[in-house]
Amino acid sequence: QLNKNLLLLSKMDNHQFTFEEQLEINGIVAASMEDLHFMAAAKKQEIAIKTGQEEIFLRGNPQLFKNLVKNLLRNAILYSGEHATIRISIQSNGFSICNPGGPLEIPQDKLFTRFSKIDNRKGTGLGLAIAQKIAALHHLQLNYRYEAGSHCFMLNW
C-alpha cells in the first residue's frame, strides 16, 4: 500500500492525470460508501448521509476524486470507535465527513503532511496528504475542524 500511495503522489506531482470529465458528486460519494461499507460494518459503525435535492457536477478526474472521498471516509472509520456514526453532508458548495472522537493527538498543522500519523498500526500516514493534493489539483479547498467532539473534513468548491 505504501508503494502504491507513493506512486500515486509521484504521478500527481508529474501531472500525469487529466481533469476533463464530468463528475457527479453524489454518485461518487455513494460508490465510496459502498466500497468501504465492510470496514464500517466490522466496527458496527453507521454511515449517515444527508444530501440536497439537486445533483452536483464538477469537472475533474473521477479516479482521483473517488480516491479523495475514500481516503477521508477510510480515515473517519479508522479513527472512530465501535458503534460510532459517521456523518456525510453534501451541499451545493461542498461536502463534509465528520466522525466522533477525542482531540487530535498530532498538531493540526501536521495533519495533511506526508507520513503524519497517530498510530503505527493504522495506515501509511499518506491518506490525508493524498486527499489534500487531489483537492488542490481540482482547485478545491480541503479543511479540517474539531468541534463538539467531532472531527470534520470539509471539501469546498
Side-chain angles (χ1 to χ4, degrees), residues 8-9 12-13 19 64-65 67-72 108-114 125-144 153-156:
L8 177 61
L9 283 165
M12 287 190 289
D13 287 342
F19 296 87
L64 289 179
F65 197 86
N67 193 313
L68 182 156
V69 174
K70 286 175 72 170
N71 280 348
L72 295 177
Q108 186 170 335
D109 64 335
K110 302 283 188 209
L111 197 58
F112 296 106
T113 303
R114 294 177 187 186
L126 292 172
L128 293 177
I130 289 171
Q132 180 76 295
K133 180 74 172 179
I134 294 169
L137 289 171
H138 282 86
H139 306 290
L140 306 174
Q141 186 68 40
L142 179 60
N143 295 301
Y144 166 82
F153 289 90
M154 293 92 42
L155 186 69
N156 298 304

Side-chain angles (χ1 to χ4, degrees), residues 2 5 24 37 67 80 86 96 99-101 106 111 145 154:
L2 179 60
N5 285 339
E24 198 278 299
H37 175 75
N67 193 313
S80 294
I86 297 162
S96 63
N99 63 286
I106 61 173
L111 197 58
R145 80 169 183 268
M154 293 92 42

Side-chain angles (χ1 to χ4, degrees), residues 19-95:
F19 296 87
E20 300 302 319
E21 292 187 49
Q22 191 83 320
L23 309 177
E24 198 278 299
I25 303 305
N26 291 6
I28 290 173
V29 172
S32 299
M33 287 173 55
E34 188 175 315
D35 289 349
L36 296 175
H37 175 75
F38 72 96
M39 284 181 69
K43 293 179 79 174
K44 300 174 182 75
Q45 295 171 337
E46 177 187 351
I47 301 173
I49 187 166
K50 178 180 150 189
T51 62
Q53 295 296 326
E54 78 256 14
E55 292 180 322
I56 299 167
F57 294 93
L58 298 176
R59 184 160 302 285
N61 183 289
Q63 174 191 355
L64 289 179
F65 197 86
K66 187 173 181 182
N67 193 313
L68 182 156
V69 174
K70 286 175 72 170
N71 280 348
L72 295 177
L73 186 54
R74 186 179 300 112
N75 190 71
I77 293 167
L78 283 172
Y79 291 101
S80 294
E82 284 197 358
H83 303 286
T85 299
I86 297 162
R87 302 194 183 285
I88 299 174
S89 176
I90 303 173
Q91 301 165 343
S92 61
N93 64 339
F95 81 88

Side-chain angles (χ1 to χ4, degrees), residues 107-127:
Q108 186 170 335
D109 64 335
K110 302 283 188 209
L111 197 58
F112 296 106
T113 303
R114 294 177 187 186
F115 301 111
S116 291
K117 58 183 182 173
I118 298 166
D119 187 333
N120 285 330
R121 297 170 293 157
K122 294 181 181 175
T124 62
L126 292 172

